[in-house]
């Protein structure tokens, strides 16, 4: 069949001839160059005809070291695809959830990366608690008093919304701050919205590390994301703030600790953010692989290494090698 579908973000569809900072650029281009037929679509172009999963899609082509999409969309049954990549950016809102419901009707012969069940069941912030040995101390709550109690115990904390990305809505808070109540109220929508609260890890001052997980393997190539503009966190995708991040210390044990569980859960592709040997997030919606930066840092063609592994995942899925992992 050799047909692949990428469900991408609306902004990426609008500006499909995008740049090499985007992970989907490299994945789509490499698959096209290897002879796969790659279509693209977005969440709101998925639909059902009774129990038949459908989409309006655009065909993509590789030309002049770039990728382009055809201007005319066509209607196709999702069962026609060998593999479907579900890669829109968060928030994981009701529109995102509804898209996964459409994917539930796709035949089991089609591999979906990542599983619709996984995308619904496993929040990217909360998922770390499946691996308590590698998770920083944390609580999840909307209650101001519970959060303040944790703050005064740990002295420094990070507060994160549960369904955003790119560090949006993330706060640093210390016990001597003069705006504790205001920050907690803002983060929790005045006590209505639960947030992840983690003990502040001092290693963040050197940046957090993005580890890339595909098909049970964590690659030895990684980047460290360094804070920008006097912030405590990485929030701007620029070359100067992405540096070499070789695996070290307890990080080398993470693969063995998490691989079986992730594969059992239907998570074949993920980006793990790590500080001081602790996993602070497991990105499973649309993890960035920082391919352009890794190529520059390590002087390799990382897109080919990643695509080799993805093709291996597709072939192993056909053989049923992931069943009952």
């Amino acid at each position: 069949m050799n047909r692949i579908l990428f469900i991408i973000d609306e902004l990426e569809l609008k500006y499909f001839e995008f740049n090499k900072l985007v992970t989907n650029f490299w994945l789509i281009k490499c698959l096209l160059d290897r002879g796969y037929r790659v279509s693209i679509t977005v969440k709101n172009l998925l639909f059902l005809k009774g129990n038949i999963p459908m989409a309006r899609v655009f065909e993509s082509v590789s030309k002049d070291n770039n990728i382009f999409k055809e201007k005319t969309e066509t209607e196709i049954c999702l069962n026609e695809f060998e593999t479907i990549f579900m890669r829109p950016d968060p928030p994981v809102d009701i529109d995102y959830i509804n898209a996964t419901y459409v994917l539930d009707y796709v035949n089991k012969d089609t591999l979906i990366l990542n599983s619709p069940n996984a995308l619904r069941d496993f929040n990217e912030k909360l998922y770390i608690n499946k691996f308590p040995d590698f998770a920083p101390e944390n609580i999840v709550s909307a209650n101001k008093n519970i959060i303040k109690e944790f703050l005064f115990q740990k002295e420094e904390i990070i507060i994160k919304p549960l369904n955003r990305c790119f560090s949006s809505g993330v706060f640093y808070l210390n016990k001597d701050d003069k705006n504790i109540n205001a920050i907690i109220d803002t983060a929790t929508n005045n006590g209505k919205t639960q947030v992840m609260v983690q003990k502040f890890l001092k290693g963040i001052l050197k940046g957090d590390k993005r580890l890339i997980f595909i098909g049970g393997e964590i690659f030895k190539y990684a980047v460290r994301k360094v804070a920008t503009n006097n912030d405590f966190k990485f929030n701007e995708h620029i070359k100067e703030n992405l540096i070499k991040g070789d695996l070290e210390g307890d990080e080398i044990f993470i693969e063995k600790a998490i691989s079986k569980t992730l594969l059992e859960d239907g998570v074949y592709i993920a980006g793990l953010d790590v500080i001081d040997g602790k996993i602070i997030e497991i990105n499973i919606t649309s993890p960035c692989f920082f391919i352009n930066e890794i190529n520059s840092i390590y002087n390799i063609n990382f897109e080919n290494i990643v695509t080799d592994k993805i093709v291996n995942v597709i072939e192993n899925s056909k053989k049923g090698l992931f069943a009952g992992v």
Side-chain angles (χ1 to χ4, degrees), residues 48-140:
L48 289 171
K49 286 185 176 180
N51 66 349
I52 307 299
M54 305 289 296
R56 304 286 294 181
V57 308
F58 299 87
E59 297 302 314
S60 63
V61 294
S62 176
K63 181 181 178 182
D64 299 329
N65 206 33
N66 207 339
I67 57 175
F68 304 89
K69 72 173 188 292
E70 301 289 353
K71 293 182 179 180
T72 304
E73 61 185 55
T74 57
E75 186 174 301
I76 187 170
C77 174
L78 296 182
N79 295 328
E80 296 296 316
F81 294 99
E82 178 180 42
T83 307
I84 297 175
F85 288 81
M86 176 64 171
R87 288 186 54 86
D89 289 332
V92 180
D93 53 16
I94 190 60
D95 296 325
Y96 191 105
I97 296 299
N98 286 339
T100 68
Y101 290 145
V102 174
L103 295 178
D104 282 341
Y105 286 87
V106 176
N107 285 343
K108 300 306 179 185
D109 291 339
T110 297
L111 175 65
I112 304 178
L113 306 171
N114 287 309
S115 157
N117 289 331
L119 295 173
R120 285 194 301 270
D121 293 347
F122 304 114
N123 178 275
E124 294 188 320
K125 308 299 190 295
L126 302 182
Y127 202 18
I128 63 172
N129 285 324
K130 271 209 166 189
F131 313 100
D133 291 344
F134 288 96
E137 295 180 76
N138 70 86
I139 61 171
V140 177

Side-chain angles (χ1 to χ4, degrees), residues 8-276:
I8 61 177
D9 208 58
E10 285 80 359
L11 192 62
E12 287 185 7
L13 180 68
K14 183 176 181 180
Y15 302 105
F16 185 66
E17 293 74 26
F18 38 71
N19 61 46
K20 295 180 179 181
L21 296 181
V22 181
T23 296
N24 288 335
F25 170 92
W26 294 100
L27 299 183
I28 292 171
K29 184 177 185 304
C30 280
L31 289 166
L32 286 169
D33 291 344
R34 294 181 184 213
Y36 287 87
R37 183 177 176 185
V38 182
S39 306
I40 59 171
T41 191
V42 292
K43 298 189 301 289
N44 62 2
L45 291 179
L46 304 178
F47 63 101
L48 289 171
K49 286 185 176 180
N51 66 349
I52 307 299
M54 305 289 296
R56 304 286 294 181
V57 308
F58 299 87
E59 297 302 314
S60 63
V61 294
S62 176
K63 181 181 178 182
D64 299 329
N65 206 33
N66 207 339
I67 57 175
F68 304 89
K69 72 173 188 292
E70 301 289 353
K71 293 182 179 180
T72 304
E73 61 185 55
T74 57
E75 186 174 301
I76 187 170
C77 174
L78 296 182
N79 295 328
E80 296 296 316
F81 294 99
E82 178 180 42
T83 307
I84 297 175
F85 288 81
M86 176 64 171
R87 288 186 54 86
D89 289 332
V92 180
D93 53 16
I94 190 60
D95 296 325
Y96 191 105
I97 296 299
N98 286 339
T100 68
Y101 290 145
V102 174
L103 295 178
D104 282 341
Y105 286 87
V106 176
N107 285 343
K108 300 306 179 185
D109 291 339
T110 297
L111 175 65
I112 304 178
L113 306 171
N114 287 309
S115 157
N117 289 331
L119 295 173
R120 285 194 301 270
D121 293 347
F122 304 114
N123 178 275
E124 294 188 320
K125 308 299 190 295
L126 302 182
Y127 202 18
I128 63 172
N129 285 324
K130 271 209 166 189
F131 313 100
D133 291 344
F134 288 96
E137 295 180 76
N138 70 86
I139 61 171
V140 177
S141 178
N143 184 279
K144 183 189 299 184
N145 292 330
I146 293 174
I147 295 172
K148 288 170 70 173
E149 180 182 10
F150 186 79
L151 167 62
F152 292 125
Q153 287 176 352
K154 306 304 174 187
E155 299 188 348
E156 296 177 284
I157 61 173
I158 300 296
I159 303 177
K160 301 178 180 181
L162 295 180
N163 71 336
R164 296 197 217 170
C165 62
F166 307 125
S167 298
S168 174
V170 177
F171 292 95
Y172 163 83
L173 192 55
N174 70 64
K175 66 181 181 59
D176 298 319
D177 199 289
K178 303 301 182 184
N179 295 290
I180 289 175
N181 290 327
I183 290 173
I184 294 175
D185 285 341
T186 299
T188 64
N189 189 24
N190 294 312
K192 299 183 184 70
T193 304
Q194 291 184 328
V195 293
M196 165 70 80
V197 186
Q198 294 178 351
K199 177 183 177 181
F200 178 74
L201 301 175
K202 296 188 184 299
I204 187 61
L205 301 177
K206 297 179 181 179
D208 65 294
K209 196 175 296 183
R210 169 58 57 89
L211 307 185
I212 299 166
F213 171 92
I214 301 178
E217 176 184 351
I218 291 178
F219 293 102
K220 64 181 180 180
Y221 309 106
V223 295
R224 190 184 294 276
K225 300 174 288 176
V226 181
T228 55
N229 299 328
N230 298 316
D231 205 333
F232 71 92
K233 61 188 181 297
F234 172 86
N235 58 11
E236 190 175 0
H237 195 138
I238 56 176
K239 182 178 179 180
E240 291 74 18
N241 296 100
L242 292 159
I243 62 176
K244 194 173 185 179
D246 291 336
L247 273 65
E248 56 191 6
D250 288 345
E251 294 167 356
I252 63 177
F253 302 111
I254 291 176
E255 177 182 300
K256 184 176 181 181
I258 70 168
S259 292
K260 185 173 186 293
T261 298
L262 262 62
L263 294 176
E264 286 177 340
D265 289 342
V267 175
Y268 304 97
I269 294 177
L272 284 69
D273 291 328
V274 176
I275 303 172
D276 295 339

